[in-house]
Amino acid sequence: MITTIIRKELSVLFNSPLAWILLALIQFVLVWAFLGRLDAFLELQPQLLQIANPPGITEIIIVPVFAMAAILLLMITPILSMRFLAEERRNHTLTLLISAPIAMTDIVMGKFLGLMIFFCVVIALIVALCLTLLMGGALDFGLLLSNTLGLFLVAASFSALGLYISSLTAQPVIAAVGALGVLLGLWVIDLAAGESHEWLRHISLLKHFERFNQGLLDTFSIAYFVLFVATFLILTIRRLDGERLHG
Amino acid sequence: MTDGTATITLSARNLCRHYGSHIAVNGIHLELKRGEVLGLLGPNGAGKTTTMRMLTGNLAPSAGHIEICGIDLLDNPQEAKAHLGFLPEIPPLYQEMTIDEYLLFAAKLHRVDQSMISAALRLAKQRCGLEDRSKRLISTLSKGFQQRVGIAQAIIHNPDVIILDEPTVGLDPNQIREIRSLIRELGTVSSVILSTHILPEVEAVCDRVQIMHKGSLVFDETLTGLQQQGIQLEAAFTQLTHSDE
């Protein structure tokens, strides 16, 4: 049953121009950043040769590109996730899903996984972009892998939160603005973390993504993302169930 | 399915629903036999839609039991819902899909067997008069055709219980006649609950009529019973729903 929902979500997504425009836009912005970093690297190269243990192309080009990709995903996820439940509710199609012999968990997971498949395409395109560097040199595959995993985990976190906020309202635009606001807040919350509020740093999405960005596979960060995703998916399921109970 | 449960397809006992202190539905009993068309009547705000939403699992009742083909809807929602087809007041349509895509999705959602899907699609389209529009986007259809797609969606899996909330709203007189004969046809093999404001419609298609007023059932009679006792449906409706105002 989950596959039925996933297929429907993907076909709706790819039958509309939205998905294609977003894919093109992400790719355009990232290629721009990528070429900019490549230029910078070529300029720096003579100086780098004089350093004993110089940073390679992975550190100089790929790491900033992934950092930028994370910000881009933060901005586009609300646009994609706003439709999920808010639009179903506004168009009264949620009734069709709820009257059908399918569990609430399957509906929510189907929508979440559908969005994750879209993000896998986005991430695959970014990785392909980075692999073109192999034509001119060697890559640090460990660092590339940790960045890919990090980007996948932040995308999952954004999607789960977007899905939950979409379940709270019948207005897609409010869902989008709400999700964007909360995500930005969680992203920059570490700025507010001074000496006395050390714990704020631990709930910042950015801080945890930075670990992966630097090539560090920290189990604390992995656990944070997994818990973040699970929490918001469960909240979404509970929210839909609660609607049935409380009307 | 045993013979004992095959005759009664839907039974709801003592169904209640409160919204805070407001009582929307109060102690309703419903029982439906296979091959029976039940007309649910009532003025606006009588609780018809709330009752239908409870019967289809869209709303949890505050008290009471619902069984569909002998399966408890609250304990075993997925099994029970597989026997249900529901057309809400506003048809649940994805405007950006074609009729074929939409019905295919509805069929899969209702667990129609892979090998039966194309036959089920053809039958549903034929019954609702949609054959020559399969590739049209739903958003380009008129209100009447959208209503028909909604009905097609509710009958695609050949359910035992079909619940239709005001199915003939927005249709022209020819379409109304077609839909009524379709409901009669569906009523020979399944059970149908029909909510409507149009009294002649009840007289045309229903075997039994129940009238709701302020959340309670105030009238329950078969159409043949009405004829034998010489009661006019309209007179009964007006008397029962106006008495305490």
Side-chain angles (χ1 to χ4, degrees):
Chain A
M1 288 314 278
I2 288 188
T3 51
T4 309
I5 302 276
I6 295 178
R7 270 201 205 155
K8 180 232 141 197
E9 287 305 330
L10 286 175
S11 86
V12 168
L13 194 60
F14 283 104
N15 275 332
S16 77
L18 182 68
W20 301 104
I21 292 174
L22 286 176
L23 277 177
L25 207 66
I26 296 169
Q27 205 62 7
F28 177 77
V29 171
L30 289 180
V31 168
W32 196 266
F34 180 82
L35 290 176
R37 297 303 302 179
L38 190 61
D39 266 347
F41 176 75
L42 293 176
E43 254 173 50
L44 280 174
Q45 211 172 19
Q47 296 158 39
L48 287 174
L49 286 174
Q50 291 157 15
I51 308 174
N53 199 357
I57 45 176
T58 319
E59 279 102 322
I60 293 184
I61 302 174
I62 294 178
V63 168
V65 165
F66 269 85
M68 183 154 212
I71 307 260
L72 274 178
L73 291 191
L74 183 140
M75 290 190 287
I76 66 158
T77 310
I79 300 175
L80 290 166
S81 68
M82 69 176 186
R83 294 181 21 254
F84 274 158
L85 292 157
E87 198 170 271
E88 298 255 11
R89 191 173 290 136
R90 197 181 56 172
N91 295 341
H92 303 275
T93 44
L94 201 55
T95 319
L96 174 71
L97 300 180
I98 293 175
S99 315
I102 175 168
M104 216 64 98
T105 317
D106 288 1
I107 299 175
V108 172
M109 285 308 288
K111 285 176 178 291
F112 174 72
L113 292 174
L115 191 53
M116 285 319 291
I117 290 175
F118 175 79
F119 281 133
C120 285
V121 174
V122 174
I123 293 170
L125 283 172
I126 299 171
V127 171
L129 178 67
C130 297
L131 289 180
T132 56
L133 286 174
L134 280 175
M135 288 188 294
L139 285 179
D140 178 350
F141 282 104
L143 189 55
L144 181 61
L145 190 72
S146 94
N147 268 291
T148 310
L149 182 66
L151 198 58
F152 180 81
L153 288 173
V154 279
S157 309
F158 296 164
S159 308
L161 185 101
L163 194 58
Y164 174 61
I165 297 205
S166 178
S167 79
L168 297 177
T169 166
Q171 301 295 333
V173 174
I174 293 179
V177 174
L180 186 63
V182 176
L183 285 177
L184 273 177
L186 281 173
W187 194 254
V188 298
I189 202 167
D190 72 304
L191 296 179
E195 297 283 301
S196 53
H197 294 97
E198 193 59 29
W199 58 274
L200 277 178
R201 196 155 288 157
H202 295 307
I203 60 168
S204 161
L205 280 164
L206 175 65
K207 276 286 158 228
H208 289 285
F209 176 67
E210 269 178 359
R211 299 281 172 126
F212 290 95
N213 205 208
Q214 291 155 359
L216 202 64
L217 289 182
D218 183 353
T219 44
F220 175 51
S221 292
I222 294 177
Y224 169 83
F225 283 125
V226 170
L227 282 176
F228 191 98
V229 171
T231 306
F232 282 105
L233 288 180
I234 291 168
L235 280 176
T236 311
I237 296 166
R238 284 191 58 95
R239 160 79 199 177
L240 288 180
D241 267 329
E243 214 163 283
R244 205 169 56 80
L245 293 172
H246 309 300
Chain B
M1 214 182 295
T2 59
D3 282 341
T5 55
T7 48
I8 290 177
T9 49
L10 180 138
S11 99
R13 273 165 294 137
N14 198 25
L15 217 51
C16 295
R17 175 72 210 193
H18 315 291
Y19 292 103
S21 62
H22 174 66
I23 299 169
V25 171
N26 188 14
I28 289 229
H29 292 271
L30 274 178
E31 203 156 82
L32 219 62
K33 296 188 195 71
R34 186 175 293 279
E36 192 176 35
V37 181
L38 170 70
L40 200 56
L41 288 174
N44 288 321
K48 301 189 297 288
T49 299
T50 307
T51 307
M52 291 191 158
R53 290 185 63 204
M54 285 195 282
L55 294 177
T56 53
N58 277 273
L59 196 64
S62 309
H65 295 278
I66 303 169
E67 273 187 13
I68 291 159
C69 295
I71 305 159
D72 194 303
L73 179 68
L74 304 172
D75 293 343
N76 234 334
Q78 292 194 46
E79 310 285 304
K81 283 176 187 173
H83 296 280
L84 262 181
F86 180 36
L87 171 71
E89 214 171 339
I90 299 160
L93 304 176
Y94 292 101
Q95 303 288 337
E96 66 275 26
M97 288 188 182
T98 65
I99 293 184
D100 268 352
E101 283 169 350
Y102 176 72
L103 292 179
L104 183 67
F105 175 61
K108 282 187 182 162
L109 210 52
H110 285 101
R111 301 180 178 171
V112 178
D113 209 43
Q114 194 69 43
S115 56
M116 317 268 277
I117 278 189
S118 63
L121 242 67
R122 213 174 316 121
L123 182 65
K125 282 189 289 185
Q126 184 227 319
R127 279 174 148 177
C128 300
L130 296 165
E131 293 116 316
D132 47 349
R133 284 177 169 77
S134 310
K135 302 275 180 281
R136 289 269 297 271
L137 280 177
I138 291 178
S139 56
T140 65
L141 297 173
S142 67
K143 170 87 175 85
F145 273 102
Q146 293 197 354
Q147 191 73 22
R148 293 197 204 189
V149 179
I151 298 175
Q153 160 276 125
I155 61 175
I156 194 146
H157 51 299
N158 219 352
D160 295 305
V161 180
I162 302 166
I163 299 184
L164 306 170
D165 200 348
E166 306 197 359
T168 54
V169 168
L171 301 184
D172 69 40
N174 291 330
Q175 292 172 333
I176 290 183
R177 205 169 45 242
E178 282 165 32
I179 293 299
R180 283 182 188 169
S181 69
L182 172 64
I183 293 171
R184 279 253 55 108
E185 185 193 325
L186 295 170
T188 55
V189 282
S190 316
S191 316
V192 181
I193 301 185
L194 177 76
S195 108
T196 178
H197 288 298
I198 310 164
L199 298 180
E201 184 160 292
V202 175
E203 284 162 341
V205 298
C206 296
D207 303 306
R208 198 149 61 85
V209 53
Q210 296 194 336
I211 298 178
M212 283 185 80
H213 184 50
K214 295 192 172 170
S216 308
L217 273 185
V218 290
F219 187 78
D220 182 0
E221 187 62 81
T222 59
L223 269 227
T224 33
L226 275 179
Q227 279 164 5
Q228 280 164 7
Q229 296 169 38
I231 305 172
Q232 287 291 314
L233 188 56
E234 194 169 345
F237 184 86
T238 320
Q239 193 204 343
L240 287 164
T241 56
H242 258 293
S243 51
D244 47 356
E245 268 175 31

